[in-house]
């Protein structure tokens, strides 16, 4: 607590904001990971369809995007562990 008049309220508000951000980030980690998983599965499904259409290069790029989403999710899991 600061001894200067008017600063105590600001410090409390700042701590409340940080506390709210901490809780929000905890929820966001799970949301982001699940969201990425959903898109990754969809990408892999469509990569197979593109391959079946004879669009091998396109399929490869969609698979690459799915792999990147998986990597992003792995990074988010590690971020969540370190939080």
């Amino acid at each position: 607590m600061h001894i200067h008049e008017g600063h105590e309220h600001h410090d409390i508000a700042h701590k409340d904001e940080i506390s709210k951000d901490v809780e929000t980030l905890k929820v966001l980690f799970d949301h982001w990971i699940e969201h990425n998983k959903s898109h990754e599965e969809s990408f892999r499904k469509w990569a197979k369809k593109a391959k079946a259409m004879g669009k091998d290069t396109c399929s490869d790029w969609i698979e690459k995007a799915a792999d990147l989403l998986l990597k992003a999710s792995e990074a988010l899991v590690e971020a969540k562990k370190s939080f």
Side-chain angles (χ1 to χ4, degrees), residues 29-30 33 73-83:
F29 281 130
D30 290 334
I33 293 164
S73 292
E74 290 169 354
L76 289 169
V77 166
E78 292 305 314
K80 182 181 175 182
K81 285 181 191 176
S82 72
F83 192 70

Side-chain angles (χ1 to χ4, degrees), residues 56-75:
D56 292 350
T57 301
C58 179
S59 175
D60 291 344
W61 281 110
I62 297 170
E63 279 289 335
K64 185 178 199 90
D67 291 343
L68 291 169
L69 273 177
L70 179 61
K71 289 286 188 194
S73 292
E74 290 169 354

Side-chain angles (χ1 to χ4, degrees), residues 42-61:
S42 177
F43 286 6
R44 294 197 193 282
K45 172 184 164 186
W46 282 98
K48 287 179 185 178
K49 289 185 180 202
K51 192 167 206 68
M53 292 180 227
K55 304 293 186 182
D56 292 350
T57 301
C58 179
S59 175
D60 291 344
W61 281 110

Side-chain angles (χ1 to χ4, degrees), residues 17-45:
E17 183 178 334
I18 290 172
S19 179
K20 182 180 175 188
D21 287 349
V22 165
E23 291 308 310
T24 299
L25 190 52
K26 286 179 182 177
V27 171
L28 283 173
F29 281 130
D30 290 334
H31 170 75
W32 289 334
I33 293 164
E34 185 57 37
H35 191 81
N36 283 354
K37 181 180 177 185
S38 172
H39 282 297
E40 179 199 348
E41 290 168 355
S42 177
F43 286 6
R44 294 197 193 282
K45 172 184 164 186

